[in-house]
Amino acid sequence: MIGAVFHLVRGAHVGFVMAREGGLAFMDPSQLPPHLRLALRVGRMLERPGLGEGAARLSAALTRLGPSYVKFGQFLATRPDIVGMAAAIDLEKLQDRVPPFPQGQSIRVVETSFGRPLREVFASFSEPIAAASIAQVHKATVIDADGTQRNLAVKVMRPGVRERFQRDLQAMRFMARVVHALSPQAERLRPREVVEILARSVMMEMDFRLEAAAMSELAQNTADDADFRVPKPEWELTARDVLTSEWIEGARLHDHATLIAAGHDLRALGRTVIQSFLRQAIRDGFFHADMHPGNLFVDAEGRLTAVDFGIMGRLGLKERRFLAEILLGFILRDYKRVAQVHFEAGYVPAHHSVDDFAQAIRAIGEPIHQRRADEISMAKVLTLLFDVTALFDMSTRTELVMLQKTMVVVEGVARSLDPQLDMWTGAEPVVRSWIARNLGPIGRIESAGRAVLTIADVVGDVPDLSQRLKRILIRLDEAGTGDAQRLEAFARQEKRRALWSTLALWGIAIGALVMAFR
């Protein structure tokens, strides 16, 4: 009871701050029942005069509410399926910048994490150079055994942030339940599910060992890319609350004047931004999902360099094939193939017509080819595509939604460098290369190899099935004659089940092998 009262008071405070800072302007009154529309009108009356527009309002409200709510806004920026694309784009502008905490607190976190004094960990340790809601960054140096001095970036967890987030999370859960109780129609926005997804996402982001693993995986995937690089983590200097990686010397991507003065080609950088993202998404299935200009640098060699790996996206082979084929289908105006890919992936139910779906996709594709290439938005095409698929009962795919939202950001960054950039020409080499590699002869041979391994697994299961049957027969023999008939029937049933299980596994394996060579 006391907890409910506390959460209710906290929820009322959140509502007041949102109303006062104009954050309620994002809510669509047409989607609310009458009693909540009245509450919204009353809340709008509390707005302070002279407020900014869009993200400026929400940024002020969320910043006043604290780090947990800033992260909540950033999380919603990756979920246009929940808040809508317009609100997601506004939320993307939400700046996660808060005052730094004292250097002494950072030093205590480092010393606690490694169990020794700071001077034994780093040769030098600067004042904070950047601060956000969860952590802040320091520049440090280490001296290697050969006397070489190296600069490092040290990301330190903000003290007490986990505890505060847990308290705010309980209030968010309570408010989500209240929203559902007051307006069952709001369940289409899945408020309770959204809060739980946020909880998992931020708790993972608050373990810097996991971010270091993401950094390491992306660095390994892109090691052979001449135009893109990822800083390497220093594992021996990384713990749950401290992440250490190599220091990046370079110009920020949004500082165009510095880039031009350094002799970098902005148009080439624009192509690099879109192609590096597509290589990560299509080729590797693991992409940086927060590629805004503040997280991108250009080093002295002209390579695009990414930082901050707290938000990452992952695509399975099916999703990567889906993305590659629909992009190529739009490039070639092969709308029938785009439609078939949706059905083959199982995204659109089989009771719909492929031809009808292809007709709907044509309505998206044909207007594209009537415009100049630099006027075509690849992200907008994907947005329209997902709108159309909703008419054909395609369920929301979280991984594709994150991909779509990241593509919106990446396209905006690329076009800021080169307003005349032809996104489709830039994307085509990456898409064609992946299709040729994975859907051509080499890819089919690899698929066949995977099918052979599946068959080997099936064969390996046969002895286990035989042992199970043998144990059953032994138990039957030991059971005596009292229930002989019942046990004999049970044995026959188990034998038939084992036989059919074996046949089914063989059927699946052979089917996989046949499909691989089609």
Side-chain angles (χ1 to χ4, degrees):
M1 181 64 183
I2 296 177
V5 172
F6 172 80
H7 296 321
L8 189 61
V9 172
R10 180 60 178 162
H13 171 70
V14 170
F16 175 78
V17 172
M18 292 290 289
R20 190 69 177 151
E21 299 295 338
L24 298 181
F26 276 90
M27 299 185 67
D28 182 2
S30 65
Q31 302 294 325
L32 300 175
H35 62 287
L36 290 184
R37 283 201 296 270
L38 175 61
L40 181 61
R41 282 199 298 271
V42 173
R44 295 295 303 275
M45 292 172 62
L46 298 174
E47 290 181 6
R48 291 189 300 106
L51 294 173
E53 295 295 330
R57 295 184 174 202
L58 199 56
S59 176
L62 295 175
T63 301
R64 270 190 64 182
L65 289 170
S68 302
Y69 291 88
V70 171
K71 296 307 298 182
F72 186 54
Q74 291 181 316
F75 166 74
L76 290 178
T78 68
R79 296 300 302 269
D81 57 319
I82 295 172
V83 299
M85 183 56 73
I89 293 174
D90 278 335
L91 285 166
E92 182 66 38
K93 302 171 187 174
L94 180 63
Q95 297 298 306
D96 186 8
R97 295 198 184 105
V98 298
F101 53 90
Q103 185 191 33
Q105 293 185 17
S106 283
I107 292 174
R108 284 194 293 273
V109 172
V110 172
E111 292 179 340
T112 301
S113 296
F114 300 115
R116 58 186 193 269
L118 180 74
R119 64 179 179 275
E120 296 181 12
V121 182
F122 300 111
S124 68
F125 191 78
S126 77
E127 292 285 341
I129 59 174
S133 57
I134 285 181
Q136 66 185 26
V137 178
H138 301 257
K139 184 177 183 180
T141 60
V142 293
I143 300 176
D144 295 330
D146 61 359
T148 303
Q149 179 174 297
R150 291 186 295 122
N151 293 327
L152 300 174
V154 183
K155 188 174 182 179
V156 181
M157 186 72 65
R158 186 175 289 272
V161 70
R162 285 192 186 84
E163 293 75 13
R164 179 166 184 174
F165 180 76
Q166 285 298 335
R167 291 196 301 270
D168 290 337
L169 183 63
Q170 293 304 318
M172 290 180 191
R173 286 180 172 131
F174 177 79
M175 287 185 284
R177 292 195 298 269
V178 170
V179 168
H180 175 65
L182 292 176
S183 177
Q185 297 95 326
E187 190 61 20
R188 69 181 183 83
L189 298 177
R190 307 188 301 279
R192 293 170 295 182
E193 178 186 342
V194 168
V195 171
E196 294 307 320
I197 295 174
L198 169 70
R200 292 193 297 270
S201 172
V202 175
M203 292 313 293
M204 289 186 65
E205 196 173 343
M206 287 183 181
D207 188 334
F208 287 157
R209 293 167 298 189
L210 299 180
E211 183 174 342
M215 184 189 305
S216 175
E217 182 175 352
L218 190 63
Q220 181 178 334
N221 291 344
T222 59
D224 295 330
D225 295 346
D227 54 3
F228 184 86
R229 68 182 291 256
V230 174
K232 295 180 180 179
E234 297 281 337
W235 285 106
E236 67 279 5
L237 297 176
T238 293
R240 187 183 70 158
D241 294 337
V242 179
L243 169 59
T244 306
S245 61
E246 65 176 300
W247 179 261
I248 298 299
E249 293 288 354
R252 290 187 177 273
L253 195 64
H254 57 67
D255 189 352
H256 294 180
T258 301
L259 292 174
I260 293 172
H264 298 302
D265 184 344
L266 297 190
R267 297 183 64 183
L269 286 173
R271 287 193 303 272
T272 298
V273 169
I274 187 65
Q275 290 184 352
S276 60
F277 166 68
L278 288 175
R279 282 197 299 264
Q280 294 170 33
I282 297 176
R283 182 192 66 191
D284 307 323
F286 187 63
F287 60 92
H288 195 306
D290 196 18
M291 289 183 68
H292 62 76
N295 285 339
L296 297 172
F297 295 79
V298 181
D299 68 11
E301 299 178 25
R303 294 177 296 181
L304 186 68
T305 306
V307 299
D308 194 353
F309 305 90
I311 304 175
M312 304 295 293
R314 196 177 291 278
L315 300 175
L317 184 60
K318 183 174 73 171
E319 289 79 22
R320 290 151 62 190
R321 175 174 178 173
F322 169 79
L323 176 62
E325 292 220 55
I326 63 172
L327 289 179
L328 187 61
F330 274 110
I331 291 171
L332 300 178
R333 303 170 80 168
D334 188 352
Y335 307 119
K336 183 69 171 289
R337 181 57 192 154
V338 175
Q340 288 172 336
V341 168
H342 280 78
F343 282 81
E344 290 172 1
Y347 293 160
V348 177
H351 66 267
H352 287 291
S353 166
V354 174
D355 292 328
D356 289 345
F357 190 42
Q359 179 183 347
I361 293 173
R362 181 178 292 273
I364 300 171
E366 282 306 298
I368 292 174
H369 293 281
Q370 306 303 316
R371 306 177 66 181
R372 296 199 317 269
D374 61 292
E375 297 177 334
I376 301 171
S377 167
M378 185 184 300
K380 185 175 181 180
V381 168
L382 287 181
T383 301
L384 292 172
L385 179 62
F386 291 158
D387 288 343
V388 167
T389 56
L391 299 176
F392 287 81
D393 304 320
M394 176 175 167
S395 59
T396 301
R397 307 285 303 186
T398 303
E399 65 275 16
L400 293 178
V401 169
M402 179 173 281
L403 172 82
Q404 172 200 18
K405 179 62 182 67
T406 308
M407 189 170 286
V408 171
V409 176
V410 168
E411 186 175 276
V413 173
R415 283 254 164 87
S416 71
L417 294 163
D418 178 11
Q420 306 303 315
L421 179 63
D422 181 350
M423 302 294 295
W424 299 92
T425 300
E428 187 172 1
V430 179
V431 174
R432 283 191 180 276
S433 174
W434 188 88
I435 288 179
R437 173 66 179 78
N438 291 272
L439 303 183
I442 295 177
R444 292 182 181 276
I445 291 172
E446 290 180 348
S447 296
R450 288 192 292 269
V452 170
L453 290 176
T454 301
I455 293 176
D457 289 340
V458 172
V459 173
D461 287 337
V462 172
D464 180 62
L465 291 171
S466 300
Q467 288 295 326
R468 286 179 54 197
L469 182 58
K470 182 178 179 180
R471 286 195 295 269
I472 291 171
L473 293 175
I474 291 173
R475 287 199 300 270
L476 286 175
D477 188 56
E478 294 174 347
T481 58
D483 297 318
Q485 291 182 345
R486 179 175 61 83
L487 293 173
E488 185 178 353
F490 174 72
R492 287 197 300 269
Q493 181 181 0
E494 284 293 322
K495 185 176 180 180
R496 285 195 300 270
R497 183 179 301 164
L499 177 61
W500 283 110
S501 296
T502 303
L503 291 175
L505 287 170
W506 273 99
I508 292 170
I510 293 172
L513 185 60
V514 171
M515 289 295 293
F517 283 103
R518 287 184 61 184

